[in-house]
């Protein structure tokens, strides 16, 4: 029973840390860039798009395909940074929690 009580205490601590992590991710913004900074995309830690900045030199109609590709690349860069941030926060939130082998979070 002592082991069960300890597991419940750890689960409560983890739940509290997860809530803190989610609040922190909502407030966090990351920036992805492409084209040497000619296209910049800002995402929240939850992956919501907040801002797109495009260098005026890319506003040439003949460069439409280049701009489209740069937007996709900047978004991919920002998304990768969001995922890295989330993984680091998850690591902090689950620190000290002894999960059975093979069990991963979030469930």
């Amino acid at each position: 029973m002592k082991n069960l009580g300890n597991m419940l205490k750890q689960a409560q601590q983890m739940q509290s840390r997860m809530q803190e992590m989610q609040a922190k991710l909502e407030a966090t913004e990351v920036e992805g860039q492409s084209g040497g900074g000619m296209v910049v995309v800002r995402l929240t830690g939850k992956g919501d798009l907040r801002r797109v900045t495009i260098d005026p030199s890319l506003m040439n109609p003949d460069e439409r395909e280049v701009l489209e590709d740069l937007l996709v690349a900047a978004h991919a860069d920002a998304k990768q940074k969001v995922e890295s941030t989330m993984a680091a926060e998850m690591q902090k939130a689950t620190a000290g929690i002894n999960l059975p082998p093979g069990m991963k979070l979030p469930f």
Side-chain angles (χ1 to χ4, degrees):
M1 285 304 261
K2 181 179 178 184
N3 209 13
L4 180 61
N6 196 20
M7 281 181 60
L8 289 173
K9 183 178 177 182
Q10 286 181 343
Q12 288 173 335
Q13 289 173 346
M14 183 182 65
Q15 183 178 16
S16 175
R17 286 187 233 156
M18 294 289 282
Q19 289 172 342
E20 290 172 12
M21 179 192 73
Q22 288 177 347
K24 185 176 181 178
L25 284 174
E26 284 181 33
T28 299
E29 286 191 6
V30 297
E31 192 172 273
Q33 298 184 21
S34 65
M38 294 180 82
V39 175
V40 179
V41 173
R42 291 188 68 77
L43 299 178
T44 67
K46 293 242 176 182
D48 297 329
L49 181 64
R50 289 291 182 220
R51 178 181 209 95
V52 175
T53 306
I54 301 170
D55 188 282
S57 67
L58 293 172
M59 297 299 187
N60 180 344
D62 296 332
E63 299 293 324
R64 192 187 98 220
E65 257 185 62
V66 172
L67 177 56
E68 291 169 349
D69 291 343
L70 289 173
L71 281 166
V72 170
H75 182 269
D77 183 43
K79 187 167 174 65
Q80 184 275 325
K81 290 176 182 176
V82 165
E83 290 170 357
S84 293
T85 301
M86 192 181 312
E89 290 300 318
M90 183 65 76
Q91 183 89 25
K92 290 178 194 174
T94 59
I97 305 290
N98 296 321
L99 297 174
M103 184 175 277
K104 295 181 181 180
L105 291 175
F107 299 107

